Amino acid sequence: MSEEIQEINTLISSNDKFNKSSGYSSLLQFQQHSCVNASSLQFLAHSAQSIISSIVSDIVDDHDEEIATQALKCLGFMLYHPSIVSVLRVDDANLVLSTLPKLITTTKLKSACNLGVWCLSVQQLGATFLVIHFHYLLGAIVHALDNPMGSLSTTFEATQAVMKLSGQLSEQMKGSSHIWAPPIYRRLLSTDKRERDASERCLLKIRSTVIPPSLDLSKVPKHFCDFNIK
């Protein structure tokens, strides 16, 4: 099995498009298999550094849509699975978090933008990593909400990313609600029901995080009752 992951590494780091595409297809299959095979997952985690290095290189050079799409799908898995995230080096996590916002805000490829935001919506990285890149991540998410391509799927993934970051960095998201909330509010008036529903679900889910109940207000009923009793 270690030979298999080594071969995948060799293929995805190749300069030949056919080899690279074949390597990413094999990597995606290996990732799917690792969900039910602990040893496969272990080999994948041990190879995370070299795999992520190749992935980042390929998504930065997004002129080839097929390769960029394959690489981003594989990256999403790497960022989602706790066993892999837990062994990521600080440099690798920072590399990914600095690369994704650039990709999302500059790419002309709809699929790359969509999958880039999807990676942010599924990532399980720690708050210590995310807070360093927060403003860039937020800028990328807002760009995706109002994406110039008019992609509803990208807007949907962006609302998912808002919910994700709200759970991970509640204070930062609360303090920047004037930036990300208006694009979501506007979609409550969309003619597309799916877009309206996604925006409503997002706002309802993060309401308690972004607008927590006031302790003072929570005491009002008791004080009011006490006053009336007297």
Side-chain angles (χ1 to χ4, degrees), residues 13-14 16 19 26 37 43 61 69 73-74 88 120 122 128 131 137 141 148 159-160 162 164 197 201 206 219 229:
S13 60
S14 168
D16 181 82
N19 287 340
S26 298
N37 188 299
F43 280 118
D61 182 21
T69 297
K73 287 179 179 178
C74 293
L88 285 183
L120 295 183
V122 300
T128 52
V131 71
L137 296 172
I141 291 170
T159 60
Q160 298 295 111
V162 167
K164 186 70 174 182
D197 291 347
R201 283 196 302 271
I206 66 179
K219 297 177 182 178
I229 291 173

Side-chain angles (χ1 to χ4, degrees), residues 145-164:
L145 285 169
D146 283 327
N147 70 91
M149 304 167 190
S151 169
L152 291 180
S153 59
T154 300
T155 298
F156 173 80
E157 291 299 343
T159 60
Q160 298 295 111
V162 167
M163 290 188 284
K164 186 70 174 182

Side-chain angles (χ1 to χ4, degrees), residues 141-208:
I141 291 170
V142 171
H143 174 85
L145 285 169
D146 283 327
N147 70 91
M149 304 167 190
S151 169
L152 291 180
S153 59
T154 300
T155 298
F156 173 80
E157 291 299 343
T159 60
Q160 298 295 111
V162 167
M163 290 188 284
K164 186 70 174 182
L165 275 189
S166 294
Q168 295 171 308
L169 300 173
S170 58
E171 287 302 314
Q172 287 81 0
M173 287 297 283
K174 180 182 178 182
S176 59
S177 59
H178 62 288
I179 298 174
W180 56 261
I184 297 180
Y185 290 149
R186 287 197 296 272
R187 273 153 187 80
L188 294 174
L189 303 176
S190 172
T191 56
D192 189 286
K193 185 178 184 303
R194 293 169 301 172
E195 193 171 19
R196 294 197 307 272
D197 291 347
S199 299
E200 184 178 2
R201 283 196 302 271
C202 175
L203 291 171
L204 288 173
K205 184 174 179 64
I206 66 179
R207 180 176 57 185
S208 60

